Amino acid sequence: MTMPLAQDSAGRPAPVMAPIVGPVVTPAAGSAAPRRPSSGRDRDRFVGFAFAAADLLIETDAQGNILFSAGARCRLTKGEVGGLVGTNLMEVVAPGDRKYVHVLFDRIREKARIKPSRVLFQAFDGQQFPALLGGCRLDSCPGSLFLTVLLTAPPRQGATAAAQGELLDQTGFAGILEERILAAREKGLDQGLTLLLVEGLQTMVEAMPEGAAMEVREGIDAYLRGISADGDSAGQLTGDRYGIVHAADIDGNEVQGHIAQIIEAAGGALPGGIRSWTLDMADDRLDAADAARALVYTVQAFASAQGGEFTISSLEDGANRLMAGAVERIGQLRATIDNRDFIVVYQPIVDIGTGAVHHLEALTRVDGMKSPADFITFAEDVGLIYDFDLLLTRTVLDTLQEFHKEPKLPDVAINLSAKTLMSPIFLKQFQSVVAPYGDLAAKLLIEVTETVVVTDIAKLNEVLQKLRGCGFRICLDDVGAGSTSFQSLYGIQADYAKIDGSFVRGAVGNPRDMAMLRSMVDVCRQLGLDLIGEQVEETVHADLLSGLGVSLAQGFLFSRPSRDFAYFAKDWSKVRSGGKVLLKG
């Protein structure tokens, strides 16, 4: 007997108990009410569970034809929800997600049950909306699939592409990967990460007829979404490389086989092979946040690896070795930050004409690192530069506090990565760091590095203007060398610009470099920027800058980086004799 369903006040279905047939038995006073037959009670219990977890219940046959529907209409039909019976489920799925839903159906048949995955449905008025589609099959009901539809909020910003029938790009996948790792640790989920290389895919599809090429691309996208966690955790990292976060029961060989079938069915022939690497997301050597960083770094390295590094068969465990290396390096970096296991050295920026120190630049040195740039680059790559930049700020302020009674206490420039500045919580955290130091914070200049990696220059400029409004002066680093592009120069209002040393040195004997240097100087001057020449090592470099009207310079001609902050604080008019040199730059 089918139990009728009524709509509650929210438009959701509520079970209605069928009338009891036969005489009504009144229990004796004090006795328990008669229990319903266990089969009926179990039936009601499972119906209750089903509607607690979903808005709409659907039964289909193997082809997706709807045999039964109950619950809320979910905007899929104008009339009663029962009106869906006799239609095909694909008619209410957004066109871009239909192949993907076929993959979900296949997985139900293969695995007996799938967890709810994000699907884009199409309402009766043509509007599209996301919902979670789950399902199972029962051996007692051969040929039927039992599905649940749960209305959900719009997808996360990073998952928008997946919700529209496409895979995430590398940036979007890195974001969802980090989110998945944190959730897996918190909730105890057993998930895996597979990196997939379909060698020569891009070349193959470009040579195929348009229709066949589309079959391959859409087929691979739909399959990888279908096996990914929640249906939104697969990304195309490059033309032939993919990343998928999935349930632990997904096997790399299974993935390779399915991809090969999709290509073969479309008449394609790969010039290379299909390889996959599955990484352990449950590595407990790092906390959840740093483990996420290690995996994201590994994915980025996989995406950018050049020919041969991830293509030879002997490298079966290559991605795992890369992951292990990332875990070790991140552990070391985290220890360096937590233990403050680094030193700060200072190099002066001087007035070329007088030799007087204008301000100092704070530079970091870390034991075991071949160069400071390696340390900073890796910290940026794994997302720890934010923690380090705030710690550097505090360390420099501690030094200024120590020498605050000196009458000639110099200003100090600290390097802050553009990635740090673009963090949504940076300003609040930065202000909390500098606030306890009071007026000393005004001694800081902020030197912005790696602006070339920023895609939203206007947003970065907005952050920098807020800092300028608080009294901080802004300096753009490495102008002309790629780290600060001309787009950044025009888009950011700053106080100083540092001309990369390669242009200064090159301009001495190369007319083309001289023309470039002169052009940069003119542009910066028109933008109201004071200029600093970097890597000034010989008198001829200083004379060249003076001739162009550049009054400030930094380099070995004046002083090497020194840990002896006291020297610059007490007697910084004698820079040319240099401070105590502990470390070379």
Side-chain angles (χ1 to χ4, degrees):
M1 180 179 68
T2 301
M3 186 179 67
L5 294 162
Q7 301 289 325
D8 64 15
S9 60
R12 295 175 182 265
V16 178
M17 304 309 300
I20 299 175
V21 179
V24 177
V25 179
T26 303
S31 65
R35 297 192 58 173
R36 300 188 58 198
S38 60
S39 59
R41 175 64 175 168
D42 289 345
R43 177 198 65 190
D44 294 344
R45 179 181 292 122
F46 285 113
V47 169
F49 288 155
F51 279 114
D55 295 301
L56 174 62
L57 305 180
I58 294 176
E59 177 188 358
T60 75
D61 63 16
Q63 287 72 45
N65 297 311
I66 297 175
L67 307 177
F68 171 84
S69 61
R73 292 177 299 167
C74 298
R75 298 167 54 201
L76 298 179
T77 178
K78 277 187 175 181
E80 296 297 325
V81 69
L84 292 172
V85 174
T87 64
N88 192 283
L89 183 67
M90 297 303 163
E91 296 175 22
V92 294
V93 172
D97 268 10
R98 288 172 186 170
K99 283 191 176 183
Y100 160 56
V101 172
H102 278 300
V103 172
L104 295 180
F105 277 19
D106 290 340
R107 289 194 54 73
I108 295 173
R109 286 187 280 267
E110 292 172 12
K111 305 292 185 179
R113 177 180 178 271
I114 62 167
K115 292 182 178 180
S117 296
R118 193 177 293 269
V119 171
L120 205 59
F121 284 90
Q122 186 161 287
F124 64 84
D125 59 2
Q127 297 295 313
Q128 296 181 349
F129 64 93
L132 295 178
L133 178 68
C136 70
R137 62 173 174 80
L138 301 175
D139 291 339
S140 58
C141 301
S144 285
L145 302 179
F146 298 91
L147 310 174
T148 61
V149 177
L150 176 65
L151 296 177
T152 186
R156 298 169 296 278
Q157 184 176 359
T160 300
Q164 295 175 344
E166 301 175 1
L167 298 184
L168 299 167
D169 61 15
Q170 184 177 335
T171 301
F173 183 72
I176 200 73
L177 173 59
E178 186 169 353
E179 181 180 316
R180 291 292 176 207
I181 295 166
L182 295 175
R185 289 284 187 94
E186 180 183 345
K187 301 176 182 178
L189 302 176
D190 192 6
Q191 293 182 335
L193 166 65
T194 291
L195 302 178
L196 179 68
L197 169 65
V198 187
E199 195 173 2
L201 175 65
Q202 191 71 19
T203 302
M204 182 196 75
V205 296
E206 288 174 357
M208 295 176 73
E210 183 177 349
M214 185 176 296
E215 279 294 313
V216 171
R217 285 193 294 262
E218 291 182 353
I220 291 176
D221 287 4
Y223 172 70
L224 295 181
R225 284 186 62 205
I227 64 173
S228 73
D230 288 357
D232 63 1
S233 304
Q236 185 168 11
L237 311 178
T238 64
D240 59 1
R241 302 181 193 201
Y242 299 85
I244 315 100
V245 179
H246 52 73
D249 63 349
I250 299 294
D251 177 76
N253 291 328
E254 171 190 346
V255 175
Q256 294 178 44
H258 275 284
I259 298 297
Q261 290 174 14
I262 292 169
I263 293 172
E264 183 180 350
L270 275 178
I274 303 175
R275 296 180 178 86
S276 64
W277 297 266
T278 298
L279 303 180
D280 182 10
M281 288 179 59
D283 193 315
D284 58 2
R285 287 175 289 174
L286 300 174
D287 65 23
D290 285 349
R293 293 185 175 104
L295 279 168
V296 169
Y297 178 76
T298 302
V299 167
Q300 292 170 339
F302 169 71
S304 61
Q306 299 302 309
E309 190 172 352
F310 273 91
T311 59
I312 57 176
S313 59
S314 62
L315 205 56
E316 180 61 30
D317 63 337
N320 284 294
R321 286 207 303 269
L322 180 60
M323 173 67 180
V327 168
E328 181 179 0
R329 290 184 69 187
I330 288 176
Q332 294 171 347
L333 180 56
R334 172 58 69 188
T336 296
I337 293 173
D338 291 347
N339 301 328
R340 289 198 178 193
D341 193 16
F342 61 92
I343 62 173
V344 179
V345 295
Y346 298 90
Q347 187 174 30
I349 287 80
V350 305
D351 185 300
I352 298 175
T354 66
V357 172
H358 183 270
H359 67 275
L360 306 178
E361 180 182 4
L363 304 166
T364 54
R365 300 292 186 264
V366 181
D367 288 340
M369 287 286 179
K370 294 181 180 179
S371 75
D374 290 341
F375 176 82
I376 297 300
T377 298
F378 184 70
E380 288 180 335
D381 287 344
V382 299
L384 282 173
I385 192 64
Y386 174 84
D387 295 353
F388 182 77
D389 282 348
L390 291 177
L391 180 58
L392 174 64
T393 303
R394 186 178 290 112
T395 302
V396 170
L397 285 168
D398 285 344
T399 301
L400 288 168
Q401 179 70 46
E402 181 182 352
F403 292 94
H404 75 281
K405 293 184 178 180
E406 296 295 336
K408 294 184 177 181
L409 188 67
D411 295 342
V412 181
I414 55 172
N415 289 283
L416 295 185
S417 165
K419 289 184 178 180
T420 294
L421 292 163
M422 292 293 283
S423 167
I425 61 173
F426 164 74
L427 279 175
K428 183 177 181 180
Q429 291 290 331
F430 183 77
Q431 288 167 350
S432 70
V433 167
V434 303
Y437 298 89
D439 292 341
L440 271 179
K443 304 294 289 182
L444 295 180
L445 290 80
I446 296 174
E447 192 163 315
V448 186
T449 64
E450 296 300 326
T451 59
V452 73
V453 304
V454 177
T455 56
D456 192 344
I457 292 295
K459 182 178 179 182
L460 174 60
N461 186 54
E462 181 182 339
V463 173
L464 294 177
Q465 298 322 301
K466 289 179 180 178
L467 289 169
R468 293 180 83 201
C470 294
F472 295 102
R473 290 154 291 169
I474 305 299
C475 179
L476 300 179
D477 192 26
D478 293 335
V479 171
S483 295
T484 298
S485 66
F486 276 97
Q487 179 190 3
S488 304
L489 203 58
Y490 279 104
I492 296 174
Q493 293 173 272
D495 302 286
Y496 299 92
K498 297 181 82 171
I499 301 172
D500 186 76
S502 62
F503 285 96
V504 177
R505 295 193 305 273
V508 172
N510 188 317
R512 292 177 63 85
D513 284 351
M514 184 64 184
M516 283 291 296
L517 178 58
R518 193 184 303 277
S519 175
M520 280 188 286
V521 170
D522 289 343
V523 168
C524 290
R525 186 173 290 119
Q526 291 175 29
L527 293 174
L529 296 167
D530 289 331
L531 290 167
I532 301 169
E534 290 187 294
Q535 299 176 26
V536 177
E537 300 177 357
E538 301 175 16
T539 303
V540 65
H541 301 151
D543 292 343
L544 184 147
L545 288 170
S546 293
L548 291 172
V550 178
S551 60
L552 301 176
Q554 176 182 11
F556 290 173
L557 176 64
F558 307 102
S559 176
R560 290 175 177 267
S562 171
R563 194 175 180 179
D564 191 1
F565 185 86
Y567 172 82
F568 297 113
K570 293 179 180 178
D571 192 15
W572 44 292
S573 63
K574 299 179 180 179
V575 175
R576 289 186 185 276
S577 63
K580 182 180 179 183
V581 179
L582 300 186
L583 291 168
K584 292 185 178 181

